[in-house]
Amino acid sequence: MICYQTWPLELSASEFTVGRWGICRLERSQDGGAFLTGPERERAESFRCRLRRAEWLGARAGLRRMLQEAGIAPRPSECNITKDRRGKPLVDIGGAGGAKRVDGSLAHKDGLAGFAAVWDPTVKIGIDLEAVSTKPWRCRRAFATRGDYLLDSESSDSYYCVLWCCKEAASKALGKGLLIDFRELVISESASGRFTVGGNGRDLMAGRYLLFDGMVAAVVMMSHAAGCGRRDRSVRTGRGGNRGEEV
Amino acid sequence: MARKLTEDDKQRIFEEIREYLADELEIDKEEITRDTHIIDDLGGDSIIFLEMIEEFKEKYQINIEVRAIGQYMLKNPVYTVGETVNAIFDIIERGDELLAGLGDDQ
């Protein structure tokens, strides 16, 4: 694991950390050490795309390491990552105290892996990574609306990439994938990199995005309470993060 | 508007999809077969699927929501090029009747 960085996720009403999110890049698919299982390495070996192998393994290694550092999964080998039929990661943590499940999300792009998890059972999470390109602009009619608002100008190269990244992260938090009309998710950036996701006239979710090195990363959290219309339980991501490091 | 595709149409669409993927993912077209996994073998992602769907919707004047296609894909998982090609055939041939008989799964 050559690059690994995480940030806390907090509920603004309480300010305690309910989860974390991060990004990492594996230089080689052999990296990742104790944070990967034998079957995961075997599965990744079947991928013909070298970058995809590094992304797939990097997301799982990063997630396990983050959960270990947070004290949620002290032994990475007891952290089992599977997916439901809609592709949403299921993170089951075993151990002497019995199994528990945390809500997780994984993303990948251009060799970079994104991972996020929340251990508050009332919160769902989604993460997405995109490379800044003209692709989102080309299919903007499928997801962008006039109600969407970013502080960045619509004429900038990154506008539609950020918008798509935020909406896909929101769709993942909802566990919907493509089972959603992305135009019904309305993005509103309130401060630099901080946004809410509205739907049906009310704020449902809140999140944060980062632009770095031609990439966009977005994370969205939805609390069940907020989903029921309680706007006071909005979600914010922490400002502080650990520094990138090499392992 | 639904339509019946001929075998020639289907072959042409298959070639269009191969060319699209080869261009977008910078891969030799000859390496792309029906069994090729778009994400694991080619490094594709969801925006690739979204753009492909939008291009074929425009080209064949199909009026169908992405959400409906998502429902279809839940019943007919799309991972390989062959599965993608079959899904595009269904979308073009069945149009807004795509979900008929699949049941609701929101």
Side-chain angles (χ1 to χ4, degrees), chain B residues 1 23 28 49 53 72-73 75 83 88-89 103-104 106:
Chain B
M1 184 189 299
D23 285 349
D28 185 347
F49 284 102
I53 289 166
Y72 169 87
M73 288 165 70
K75 302 283 184 180
E83 289 163 350
I88 296 286
F89 292 165
D104 193 20
Q106 289 262 33

Side-chain angles (χ1 to χ4, degrees), chain A:
Chain A
M1 201 179 299
I2 63 158
C3 168
Y4 168 87
Q5 187 161 4
T6 69
W7 298 269
L9 292 160
E10 294 151 349
L11 291 170
S12 60
S14 55
E15 295 294 327
F16 60 86
T17 298
V18 295
R20 292 189 77 86
W21 69 299
I23 51 177
C24 80
R25 185 189 295 277
L26 293 189
E27 189 169 53
R28 303 169 305 160
S29 56
Q30 293 92 334
D31 293 338
F35 296 105
L36 294 167
T37 66
E40 285 172 343
R41 291 187 189 282
E42 277 177 33
R43 164 98 202 271
E45 279 305 307
S46 71
F47 303 162
R48 281 164 46 194
C49 180
R50 181 185 57 80
L51 277 181
R52 173 62 178 150
R53 278 201 292 274
E55 293 164 352
W56 197 86
L57 291 171
R60 283 153 182 79
L63 180 62
R64 284 201 183 89
R65 180 176 162 182
M66 181 182 75
L67 289 170
Q68 183 189 48
E69 288 177 350
I72 303 298
R75 284 174 291 279
S77 61
E78 292 177 349
C79 178
N80 188 38
I81 304 168
T82 55
K83 285 195 172 182
D84 70 12
R85 71 191 190 103
R86 291 183 180 179
K88 178 128 177 107
L90 303 172
V91 185
D92 291 301
I93 298 161
K100 67 177 171 183
R101 177 169 285 177
V102 300
D103 195 59
S105 186
L106 304 173
H108 62 86
K109 188 69 189 179
D110 292 351
L112 199 64
F115 47 89
V118 281
W119 33 90
D120 180 327
T122 68
V123 181
K124 298 288 182 191
I125 194 156
I127 187 169
D128 190 43
L129 277 175
E130 296 292 336
V132 175
S133 75
T134 58
K135 265 196 209 81
W137 178 82
R138 295 202 300 257
C139 48
R140 63 195 182 280
R141 288 185 194 87
F143 66 88
T145 72
R146 289 185 179 182
D148 294 315
Y149 174 75
L150 295 178
L151 297 177
D152 204 0
S153 161
E154 193 174 336
S155 62
S156 77
D157 291 342
S158 59
Y159 180 88
Y160 287 101
C161 294
V162 171
L163 204 54
W164 168 250
C165 195
C166 294
K167 291 197 180 195
E168 187 162 37
S171 171
K172 286 179 164 185
L174 290 164
K176 292 280 192 181
L178 290 178
L179 283 167
I180 201 165
D181 185 343
F182 288 96
R183 291 168 302 185
E184 287 178 1
L185 297 174
V186 181
I187 304 294
S188 182
E189 187 175 7
S190 51
S192 182
R194 297 179 187 279
F195 63 91
T196 57
V197 188
N200 298 323
R202 63 185 177 197
D203 292 347
L204 293 175
M205 298 172 264
R208 175 90 186 260
Y209 74 82
L210 290 174
L211 265 168
F212 59 98
D213 299 337
M215 302 285 294
V216 188
V219 64
V220 167
M221 288 204 294
M222 177 185 71
S223 86
H224 294 329
C228 293
R230 282 183 55 190
R231 297 179 65 139
D232 60 325
R233 196 169 154 81
S234 63
V235 177
R236 75 172 183 83
T237 55
R239 287 192 192 88
N242 64 329
R243 298 172 65 86
E245 56 184 299
E246 292 193 5
V247 177

